[in-house]
Coordinates of all heavy atoms in Angstrom, one line a residue:
S1 N 100.8 172.0 -63.3 CA 102.0 172.5 -62.7 C 101.8 173.8 -61.9 O 101.0 174.6 -62.3 CB 103.1 172.9 -63.7 OG 103.9 171.8 -64.1
A2 N 102.4 173.8 -60.7 CA 102.3 175.0 -59.9 C 103.6 175.2 -59.1 O 103.9 174.4 -58.2 CB 101.1 174.9 -58.9
G3 N 104.4 176.1 -59.6 CA 105.7 176.3 -58.9 C 106.6 175.1 -59.1 O 106.8 174.7 -60.2
A4 N 107.0 174.5 -58.0 CA 107.9 173.4 -58.0 C 107.2 172.0 -58.1 O 107.8 171.0 -58.3 CB 108.8 173.4 -56.8
L5 N 105.8 172.1 -58.1 CA 105.0 170.8 -58.0 C 104.4 170.6 -59.4 O 103.8 171.5 -60.0 CB 104.0 170.9 -57.0 CG 103.2 169.7 -56.6 CD1 104.1 168.6 -56.1 CD2 102.1 170.0 -55.6
S6 N 104.4 169.4 -59.9 CA 103.8 169.0 -61.1 C 102.9 167.7 -60.9 O 103.4 166.8 -60.2 CB 104.8 168.7 -62.2 OG 104.2 168.3 -63.4
L7 N 101.7 167.7 -61.3 CA 100.8 166.6 -61.1 C 100.2 166.2 -62.4 O 99.8 167.0 -63.2 CB 99.7 167.0 -60.2 CG 98.5 166.1 -59.9 CD1 99.0 164.8 -59.2 CD2 97.4 166.7 -59.1
H8 N 100.1 164.9 -62.7 CA 99.5 164.3 -63.9 C 98.6 163.2 -63.5 O 98.9 162.4 -62.6 CB 100.6 163.8 -64.8 CG 101.7 164.8 -65.1 ND1 101.6 165.7 -66.1 CD2 102.9 165.0 -64.5 CE1 102.7 166.4 -66.2 NE2 103.5 166.0 -65.2
A9 N 97.5 163.0 -64.2 CA 96.6 161.9 -64.0 C 96.0 161.4 -65.3 O 95.9 162.1 -66.3 CB 95.4 162.4 -63.1
N10 N 95.7 160.1 -65.3 CA 95.1 159.5 -66.5 C 94.1 158.4 -66.1 O 94.2 157.8 -65.0 CB 96.1 159.1 -67.5 CG 97.0 158.0 -67.0 OD1 96.5 157.0 -66.3 ND2 98.3 158.0 -67.3
Y11 N 93.2 158.1 -67.1 CA 92.3 157.0 -66.9 C 92.1 156.3 -68.2 O 92.0 157.0 -69.3 CB 90.9 157.5 -66.4 CG 89.9 156.4 -66.3 CD1 89.9 155.5 -65.3 CD2 88.9 156.2 -67.3 CE1 88.9 154.5 -65.2 CE2 88.0 155.2 -67.3 CZ 88.0 154.4 -66.2 OH 87.1 153.3 -66.2
A12 N 92.0 155.0 -68.2 CA 91.7 154.3 -69.5 C 90.8 153.1 -69.3 O 90.8 152.5 -68.2 CB 93.1 153.8 -70.1
T13 N 90.1 152.8 -70.3 CA 89.2 151.6 -70.3 C 89.3 150.9 -71.7 O 89.5 151.5 -72.7 CB 87.8 152.0 -70.0 OG1 87.0 150.8 -69.9 CG2 87.2 152.9 -71.0
L14 N 89.2 149.6 -71.7 CA 89.3 148.8 -72.9 C 88.3 147.6 -72.8 O 88.3 146.9 -71.8 CB 90.8 148.2 -73.0 CG 91.0 147.2 -74.2 CD1 90.8 147.9 -75.5 CD2 92.3 146.6 -74.1
E15 N 87.5 147.5 -73.9 CA 86.6 146.4 -74.0 C 86.9 145.8 -75.4 O 86.6 146.4 -76.4 CB 85.2 146.9 -73.9 CG 84.8 147.5 -72.6 CD 83.4 148.1 -72.6 OE1 82.7 147.9 -73.5 OE2 83.1 148.7 -71.6
D16 N 87.5 144.6 -75.4 CA 87.9 144.0 -76.7 C 87.2 142.7 -77.0 O 87.6 142.0 -77.9 CB 89.4 143.7 -76.7 CG 89.9 142.7 -75.7 OD1 89.0 142.1 -75.1 OD2 91.1 142.4 -75.7
G17 N 86.1 142.4 -76.3 CA 85.3 141.2 -76.7 C 85.6 140.0 -75.8 O 84.8 139.2 -75.6
T18 N 86.9 139.9 -75.4 CA 87.2 138.8 -74.5 C 87.5 139.2 -73.1 O 87.4 138.4 -72.2 CB 88.5 138.0 -75.1 OG1 89.6 138.9 -75.1 CG2 88.2 137.5 -76.5
A19 N 88.0 140.4 -72.9 CA 88.3 140.9 -71.6 C 88.0 142.4 -71.5 O 88.1 143.1 -72.5 CB 89.8 140.7 -71.3
D20 N 87.6 142.8 -70.3 CA 87.3 144.2 -70.1 C 88.3 144.7 -69.0 O 88.5 144.1 -68.0 CB 85.9 144.4 -69.5 CG 84.8 144.0 -70.5 OD1 85.1 144.1 -71.7 OD2 83.7 143.7 -70.0
S21 N 89.0 145.8 -69.3 CA 90.0 146.4 -68.5 C 89.8 147.8 -68.2 O 89.3 148.5 -69.1 CB 91.4 146.2 -69.1 OG 91.7 144.9 -69.4
D22 N 90.1 148.3 -67.0 CA 90.2 149.7 -66.8 C 91.2 150.0 -65.7 O 91.6 149.2 -65.0 CB 88.8 150.3 -66.4 CG 88.3 149.8 -65.0 OD1 88.8 148.8 -64.6 OD2 87.5 150.5 -64.4
G23 N 91.6 151.3 -65.7 CA 92.6 151.6 -64.7 C 92.9 153.1 -64.7 O 92.5 153.9 -65.6
F24 N 93.7 153.6 -63.7 CA 94.0 155.0 -63.6 C 95.5 155.1 -63.1 O 96.0 154.1 -62.6 CB 93.1 155.7 -62.6 CG 93.3 155.4 -61.2 CD1 94.2 156.1 -60.4 CD2 92.7 154.3 -60.6 CE1 94.4 155.8 -59.1 CE2 92.9 154.0 -59.3 CZ 93.8 154.7 -58.5
G25 N 96.0 156.2 -63.3 CA 97.4 156.5 -62.8 C 97.5 157.9 -62.4 O 96.9 158.8 -63.0
V26 N 98.4 158.2 -61.5 CA 98.7 159.6 -61.0 C 100.2 159.6 -60.9 O 100.9 158.7 -60.5 CB 98.0 160.0 -59.7 CG1 96.5 160.1 -59.9 CG2 98.4 159.0 -58.6
A27 N 100.8 160.8 -61.2 CA 102.2 161.0 -61.1 C 102.4 162.4 -60.5 O 101.7 163.3 -60.9 CB 102.9 160.8 -62.4
V28 N 103.4 162.5 -59.6 CA 103.7 163.8 -59.0 C 105.2 164.0 -59.0 O 106.0 163.0 -58.8 CB 103.2 163.8 -57.5 CG1 103.6 165.1 -56.8 CG2 101.8 163.6 -57.4
A29 N 105.6 165.2 -59.4 CA 107.1 165.5 -59.4 C 107.2 166.8 -58.6 O 106.4 167.7 -58.7 CB 107.6 165.7 -60.8
Y30 N 108.3 166.8 -57.8 CA 108.6 168.0 -57.0 C 110.0 168.5 -57.3 O 111.0 167.7 -57.1 CB 108.5 167.8 -55.5 CG 108.7 169.0 -54.7 CD1 107.7 170.0 -54.6 CD2 109.9 169.2 -54.0 CE1 107.9 171.2 -53.9 CE2 110.1 170.4 -53.3 CZ 109.1 171.4 -53.2 OH 109.3 172.5 -52.5
D31 N 110.2 169.7 -57.8 CA 111.5 170.2 -58.2 C 112.2 170.7 -56.9 O 111.7 171.6 -56.2 CB 111.3 171.4 -59.1 CG 112.6 171.9 -59.7 OD1 113.7 171.4 -59.3 OD2 112.6 172.8 -60.6
L32 N 113.4 170.1 -56.6 CA 114.1 170.4 -55.4 C 115.1 171.6 -55.6 O 115.6 172.1 -54.7 CB 114.9 169.2 -54.9 CG 114.1 168.0 -54.5 CD1 115.1 166.8 -54.3 CD2 113.3 168.3 -53.3
G33 N 115.2 172.0 -56.9 CA 116.2 173.0 -57.2 C 117.5 172.5 -57.5 O 117.8 171.3 -57.2
G34 N 118.4 173.2 -58.2 CA 119.7 172.8 -58.5 C 119.8 171.6 -59.5 O 120.8 170.9 -59.6
G35 N 118.7 171.4 -60.2 CA 118.7 170.3 -61.2 C 118.2 169.0 -60.7 O 118.2 168.0 -61.4
A36 N 117.7 168.9 -59.4 CA 117.2 167.6 -58.8 C 115.7 167.7 -58.6 O 115.2 168.8 -58.3 CB 117.9 167.4 -57.5
S37 N 115.0 166.6 -58.9 CA 113.6 166.5 -58.6 C 113.3 165.1 -58.1 O 113.9 164.1 -58.5 CB 112.8 166.9 -59.8 OG 113.1 166.0 -60.9
V38 N 112.2 165.0 -57.3 CA 111.7 163.7 -56.8 C 110.4 163.4 -57.5 O 109.6 164.3 -57.7 CB 111.4 163.8 -55.3 CG1 110.8 162.6 -54.8 CG2 112.7 164.1 -54.5
H39 N 110.3 162.2 -57.9 CA 109.1 161.7 -58.7 C 108.4 160.6 -58.0 O 109.1 159.6 -57.5 CB 109.5 161.2 -60.1 CG 110.1 162.3 -60.9 ND1 109.5 162.9 -62.0 CD2 111.3 162.9 -60.8 CE1 110.3 163.8 -62.5 NE2 111.4 163.8 -61.8
F40 N 107.1 160.6 -57.9 CA 106.3 159.5 -57.4 C 105.1 159.2 -58.3 O 104.5 160.1 -58.9 CB 105.7 159.9 -56.0 CG 104.8 158.8 -55.4 CD1 105.3 157.7 -54.9 CD2 103.4 159.0 -55.5 CE1 104.4 156.7 -54.4 CE2 102.5 158.0 -55.0 CZ 103.0 156.9 -54.5
G41 N 104.8 157.9 -58.5 CA 103.7 157.5 -59.4 C 103.0 156.4 -58.8 O 103.5 155.5 -58.0
Y42 N 101.7 156.3 -59.0 CA 100.8 155.2 -58.6 C 99.8 154.9 -59.7 O 99.3 155.8 -60.3 CB 100.1 155.6 -57.3 CG 99.2 154.4 -56.8 CD1 99.7 153.3 -56.2 CD2 97.8 154.5 -57.1 CE1 98.9 152.3 -55.8 CE2 97.0 153.4 -56.7 CZ 97.5 152.3 -56.1 OH 96.7 151.3 -55.7
G43 N 99.6 153.6 -59.9 CA 98.6 153.2 -60.9 C 97.8 152.0 -60.3 O 98.4 151.2 -59.6
D44 N 96.5 151.9 -60.7 CA 95.7 150.8 -60.3 C 94.8 150.4 -61.4 O 94.3 151.3 -62.1 CB 94.8 151.2 -59.1 CG 94.1 150.1 -58.5 OD1 94.7 149.0 -58.2 OD2 92.9 150.2 -58.3
G45 N 94.6 149.1 -61.6 CA 93.8 148.7 -62.7 C 93.1 147.4 -62.4 O 93.6 146.7 -61.5
S46 N 92.1 147.0 -63.2 CA 91.5 145.7 -63.0 C 91.1 145.2 -64.4 O 91.0 145.9 -65.3 CB 90.2 145.9 -62.1 OG 89.3 146.7 -62.8
E47 N 91.0 143.9 -64.4 CA 90.7 143.2 -65.7 C 89.7 142.0 -65.4 O 89.9 141.3 -64.4 CB 92.0 142.6 -66.3 CG 91.7 141.9 -67.6 CD 92.9 141.3 -68.3 OE1 94.0 141.3 -67.7 OE2 92.8 140.9 -69.4
D48 N 88.7 141.9 -66.2 CA 87.7 140.9 -66.1 C 87.8 140.0 -67.3 O 87.4 140.4 -68.4 CB 86.3 141.4 -65.9 CG 85.3 140.3 -65.8 OD1 85.6 139.1 -65.9 OD2 84.1 140.7 -65.5
D49 N 88.5 138.9 -67.2 CA 88.7 138.0 -68.4 C 87.9 136.7 -68.2 O 88.3 135.8 -67.5 CB 90.2 137.7 -68.5 CG 90.6 136.9 -69.7 OD1 89.7 136.8 -70.6 OD2 91.7 136.5 -69.9
A50 N 86.7 136.7 -68.8 CA 85.8 135.6 -68.8 C 85.5 135.2 -67.4 O 85.5 134.0 -67.0 CB 86.4 134.4 -69.6
G51 N 85.2 136.2 -66.5 CA 84.8 135.9 -65.1 C 86.0 135.8 -64.1 O 85.7 135.8 -62.9
T52 N 87.2 135.8 -64.6 CA 88.4 135.9 -63.7 C 88.8 137.3 -63.6 O 89.2 137.9 -64.5 CB 89.5 135.0 -64.3 OG1 89.1 133.7 -64.5 CG2 90.7 135.1 -63.3
V53 N 88.6 137.9 -62.4 CA 88.9 139.3 -62.1 C 90.3 139.4 -61.5 O 90.5 138.7 -60.5 CB 87.8 139.9 -61.3 CG1 88.2 141.4 -61.0 CG2 86.5 139.8 -62.0
T54 N 91.1 140.3 -62.0 CA 92.4 140.6 -61.4 C 92.4 142.1 -61.1 O 91.9 142.9 -61.9 CB 93.6 140.3 -62.2 OG1 93.5 140.9 -63.5 CG2 93.7 138.8 -62.4
D55 N 92.9 142.5 -60.0 CA 93.0 143.9 -59.5 C 94.4 144.1 -58.9 O 94.8 143.3 -58.0 CB 91.9 144.2 -58.5 CG 91.8 145.6 -58.2 OD1 92.4 146.5 -58.9 OD2 91.1 145.9 -57.2
D56 N 95.1 145.1 -59.4 CA 96.4 145.3 -58.9 C 96.8 146.8 -58.9 O 96.3 147.6 -59.7 CB 97.5 144.5 -59.6 CG 97.6 144.9 -61.1 OD1 96.8 145.7 -61.6 OD2 98.5 144.3 -61.7
G57 N 97.6 147.2 -57.9 CA 98.2 148.5 -57.9 C 99.7 148.5 -57.9 O 100.3 147.5 -57.4
R58 N 100.3 149.5 -58.4 CA 101.7 149.6 -58.5 C 102.2 151.0 -58.2 O 101.5 151.9 -58.5 CB 102.2 149.2 -59.9 CG 101.9 147.8 -60.2 CD 102.3 147.5 -61.7 NE 101.7 146.2 -62.1 CZ 102.4 145.1 -62.3 NH1 103.7 145.1 -62.1 NH2 101.8 144.0 -62.6
W59 N 103.3 151.1 -57.6 CA 103.8 152.5 -57.3 C 105.3 152.5 -57.7 O 106.0 151.5 -57.8 CB 103.6 152.9 -55.9 CG 104.3 152.0 -54.9 CD1 103.8 150.9 -54.3 CD2 105.6 152.2 -54.3 NE1 104.8 150.4 -53.4 CE2 105.8 151.2 -53.4 CE3 106.6 153.2 -54.5 CZ2 107.0 151.1 -52.7 CZ3 107.7 153.1 -53.8 CH2 108.0 152.1 -52.9
S60 N 105.8 153.7 -57.8 CA 107.2 153.9 -58.0 C 107.7 155.3 -57.4 O 106.9 156.2 -57.2 CB 107.6 154.0 -59.5 OG 107.0 155.1 -60.2
L61 N 108.9 155.3 -57.0 CA 109.5 156.5 -56.4 C 110.9 156.6 -57.0 O 111.7 155.7 -57.1 CB 109.6 156.3 -54.9 CG 110.2 157.5 -54.1 CD1 109.4 158.7 -54.2 CD2 110.4 157.1 -52.6
G62 N 111.3 157.8 -57.4 CA 112.6 158.0 -57.9 C 113.1 159.5 -57.8 O 112.3 160.4 -57.4
M63 N 114.3 159.7 -58.2 CA 114.9 161.0 -58.2 C 115.6 161.2 -59.6 O 116.2 160.3 -60.1 CB 115.9 161.1 -57.1 CG 116.6 162.4 -57.0 SD 117.7 162.5 -55.6 CE 117.0 163.9 -54.8
A64 N 115.4 162.4 -60.1 CA 116.0 162.8 -61.4 C 117.0 163.9 -61.1 O 116.7 164.8 -60.3 CB 115.0 163.2 -62.4
M65 N 118.2 163.8 -61.7 CA 119.2 164.8 -61.6 C 119.7 165.2 -62.9 O 120.1 164.4 -63.8 CB 120.3 164.3 -60.7 CG 119.9 164.0 -59.3 SD 121.2 163.6 -58.1 CE 121.6 161.9 -58.7
S66 N 119.8 166.5 -63.1 CA 120.4 167.1 -64.4 C 121.6 167.8 -64.0 O 121.7 168.6 -63.1 CB 119.4 168.1 -65.0 OG 118.2 167.4 -65.4
F67 N 122.7 167.6 -64.8 CA 124.0 168.2 -64.5 C 124.3 169.1 -65.7 O 124.0 168.9 -66.8 CB 125.1 167.2 -64.4 CG 124.8 166.3 -63.2 CD1 124.3 165.0 -63.4 CD2 125.1 166.7 -61.9 CE1 124.1 164.1 -62.3 CE2 124.9 165.8 -60.8 CZ 124.4 164.6 -61.1

Protein backbone atom coordinates (compact mmCIF):
# COMPACT_ATOMS: atom_id res chain seq x y z
CA SER A 1 0.00 0.00 0.00
CA ALA A 2 1.14 3.50 -0.81
CA GLY A 3 -1.28 6.35 -0.28
CA ALA A 4 -4.45 5.65 -2.24
CA LEU A 5 -2.97 2.69 -4.16
CA SER A 6 -2.91 -0.91 -2.94
CA LEU A 7 -1.21 -3.80 -4.81
CA HIS A 8 -1.33 -7.54 -4.07
CA ALA A 9 0.32 -10.46 -5.87
CA ASN A 10 0.41 -14.24 -5.43
CA TYR A 11 1.80 -17.37 -7.07
CA ALA A 12 0.89 -21.01 -6.53
CA THR A 13 1.93 -24.40 -7.85
CA LEU A 14 0.40 -27.84 -7.33
CA GLU A 15 1.72 -31.27 -8.23
CA ASP A 16 -0.73 -33.99 -7.18
CA GLY A 17 0.49 -37.00 -9.21
CA THR A 18 -2.13 -36.77 -11.97
CA ALA A 19 -1.91 -33.10 -12.94
CA ASP A 20 0.55 -30.24 -12.51
CA SER A 21 -0.84 -26.72 -12.14
CA ASP A 22 0.64 -23.30 -11.57
CA GLY A 23 -0.59 -19.74 -11.75
CA PHE A 24 -0.32 -16.18 -10.53
CA GLY A 25 -2.63 -13.33 -9.67
CA VAL A 26 -2.36 -9.59 -9.18
CA ALA A 27 -4.89 -7.19 -7.75
CA VAL A 28 -4.85 -3.40 -7.59
CA ALA A 29 -7.19 -1.08 -5.73
CA TYR A 30 -7.28 2.71 -5.92
CA ASP A 31 -9.07 4.74 -3.24
CA LEU A 32 -11.08 7.52 -4.90
CA GLY A 33 -11.98 9.12 -1.58
CA GLY A 34 -15.41 9.61 -0.05
CA GLY A 35 -15.78 5.85 0.56
CA ALA A 36 -15.38 4.78 -3.11
CA SER A 37 -12.58 2.68 -4.61
CA VAL A 38 -11.86 1.01 -7.95
CA HIS A 39 -10.55 -2.57 -8.01
CA PHE A 40 -8.84 -4.50 -10.83
CA GLY A 41 -7.58 -8.07 -10.79
CA TYR A 42 -5.87 -10.41 -13.24
CA GLY A 43 -4.95 -14.06 -12.92
CA ASP A 44 -3.27 -16.54 -15.25
CA GLY A 45 -2.68 -20.24 -14.82
CA SER A 46 -1.88 -23.42 -16.64
CA GLU A 47 -2.54 -27.10 -16.05
CA ASP A 48 -0.86 -30.17 -17.55
CA ASP A 49 -3.21 -33.14 -17.10
CA ALA A 50 -1.67 -36.27 -18.65
CA GLY A 51 -0.30 -34.32 -21.61
CA THR A 52 -3.35 -32.10 -22.15
CA VAL A 53 -2.27 -28.54 -21.40
CA THR A 54 -4.74 -25.76 -20.66
CA ASP A 55 -3.74 -22.14 -20.20
CA ASP A 56 -6.15 -19.36 -19.33
CA GLY A 57 -6.26 -15.81 -18.04
CA ARG A 58 -9.08 -14.02 -16.28
CA TRP A 59 -9.63 -10.44 -15.22
CA SER A 60 -12.14 -8.45 -13.22
CA LEU A 61 -12.96 -4.78 -12.70
CA GLY A 62 -15.21 -3.37 -10.05
CA MET A 63 -16.05 -0.53 -7.74
CA ALA A 64 -16.59 -0.65 -3.99
CA MET A 65 -18.60 1.98 -2.12
CA SER A 66 -18.95 2.43 1.63
CA PHE A 67 -21.74 4.55 3.03
